[in-house]
């Protein structure tokens, strides 16, 4: 407690514990979803070239690309939020590892979705 000069009052600074960034958690969840959707792209692309598997793979590629892009964007925003310095009474954010994992999972899922679509198209028109 710090006394306020010239008054009988004091100021109390509460210690606010750090909070895990919601953007970092969302980035990781979206990145993992992107990887799972990219596995669906591979499954539809490889298993059904005679049944129009390229169409299904293309539809899931759009979903995987959106999830991967969202994971990358949320991961970058989370890293910025965590890096920002906050004065003592403000909330500090943690979760840098979650943000980096979300970035890498989102990038991997995006890349795997595109590779799966390319494989599905090659098998479809072979």
């Amino acid at each position: 407690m710090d006394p306020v000069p010239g008054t009988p009052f004091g100021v109390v600074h509460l210690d606010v514990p750090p909070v895990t960034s919601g953007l970092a958690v969302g980035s990781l969840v979206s990145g993992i979803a992107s990887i799972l959707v990219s596995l669906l792209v591979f499954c539809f692309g490889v298993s059904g070239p005679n049944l129009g598997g390229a169409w299904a793979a293309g539809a899931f590629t759009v979903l995987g690309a959106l999830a991967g892009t969202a994971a990358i964007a949320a991961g970058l925003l989370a890293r910025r939020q965590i890096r920002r310095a906050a004065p003592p009474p403000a909330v500090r954010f943690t979760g840098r590892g979650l943000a980096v994992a979300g970035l890498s999972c989102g990038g991997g899922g995006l890349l795997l979705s595109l590779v799966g679509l390319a494989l599905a198209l090659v098998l479809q028109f072979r």
Side-chain angles (χ1 to χ4, degrees):
M1 183 167 89
D2 297 330
V4 177
T7 66
F9 302 107
V11 175
V12 176
H13 296 285
L14 298 176
D15 187 28
V16 179
V19 176
T20 303
S21 172
L23 284 169
V25 173
S27 172
L28 182 60
V29 169
S30 182
I32 291 172
S34 175
I35 289 175
L36 293 176
V37 170
S38 70
L39 293 176
L40 281 175
V41 171
F42 274 102
C43 289
F44 280 118
V46 172
S47 67
N50 296 331
L51 303 173
W55 287 102
F60 280 106
T61 299
V62 171
L63 181 62
L66 287 175
T69 305
I72 291 170
L76 291 174
L77 288 173
R79 287 186 61 208
R80 181 186 300 169
Q81 181 185 48
I82 293 165
R83 198 176 24 210
R84 186 179 320 143
V91 175
R92 290 177 292 124
F93 290 100
T94 61
R96 184 176 180 273
L98 292 172
V100 171
L103 278 168
S104 60
C105 286
L110 179 64
L111 182 66
L112 285 174
S113 291
L114 295 176
V115 168
L117 178 64
L119 179 67
L121 291 174
V122 165
L123 290 176
Q124 181 75 29
F125 298 113
R126 181 174 69 142

